Structure formats: C-alpha cells, structure tokens
Amino acid sequence: MSAPTAPNIVRRPDPQNTKIDLFWYPPSSDGDGSGISSYTLFCSNPALSQSYGPSDRIASFNNLSNGTTYAFQIYATNSNSLSSPSASFIPVQPGDIVTGK
C-alpha cells in the first residue's frame, strides 16, 4: 500500500487576458494498482484551490487580474494517501506568452 507518484502540471499554450488554463499528466504510478481517486490543485490564491475527479486533466480559471502572478501545484490521491506534490509551483500570469512549461 503506497501513495501515487506526483502528477506533472503543465500550463496550456493558449494564454488569454484574465484567464489561465492548466493541464496535468497523471502520475507514472498510482501507487498500489487501485487507481487515482482525485486530484487536488493548490493555488497561491487559496480561493482558486480545488479538487478534480480522477479523469479530469484540465483546469480553467477566469476573471483573474492581468499582471498578477498565480502559482499552482497539484497532488494525486489514491485509496491510501496523497502523492508528493508536482515538482514545483508553476507561476503564471493571465495574458502571458508561453515561454516554456
């Protein structure tokens, strides 16, 4: 019985004014073969933190402030426990041009 490995969060390549879209890849291992039961996306603005179902891969955030940095990190959960977090917080600003991940 073990926790899943960390999922990988990536910024989508279509930034827009006042909007951020993120997507994630599932963990390379669900830990114990029982599958992922949920994902929890944490944000530097706690009001934007939320949970997603096991088949969800995309999160969209609207009505954000251009020029404000939002940092995101994601965890996976199986029947045993929470994974380690994604490698690092992904800082993004609405309206940014994608320069990497």
Side-chain angles (χ1 to χ4, degrees):
M1 301 287 205
S2 60
T5 57
N8 183 24
I9 190 169
V10 181
R11 182 170 169 203
R12 288 182 64 104
D14 58 354
Q16 300 174 24
N17 284 331
T18 72
K19 183 177 180 185
I20 294 172
D21 291 333
L22 300 170
F23 73 95
W24 57 90
Y25 297 111
S28 59
S29 170
D30 66 10
D32 66 0
S34 66
I36 300 301
S37 57
S38 67
Y39 292 97
T40 304
L41 185 66
F42 290 96
C43 181
S44 55
N45 176 341
L48 299 178
S49 297
Q50 53 190 310
S51 294
Y52 295 88
S55 61
D56 292 331
R57 298 289 182 272
I58 297 172
S60 295
F61 301 92
N62 298 298
N63 303 314
L64 303 177
S65 299
N66 285 344
T68 299
T69 298
Y70 299 87
F72 295 91
Q73 193 170 44
I74 193 162
Y75 294 76
T77 303
N78 67 10
S79 60
N80 297 308
S81 62
L82 200 63
S83 72
S84 297
S86 52
S88 62
F89 275 95
I90 302 294
V92 293
Q93 290 184 359
D96 275 357
I97 296 171
V98 172
T99 58
K101 288 204 248 180

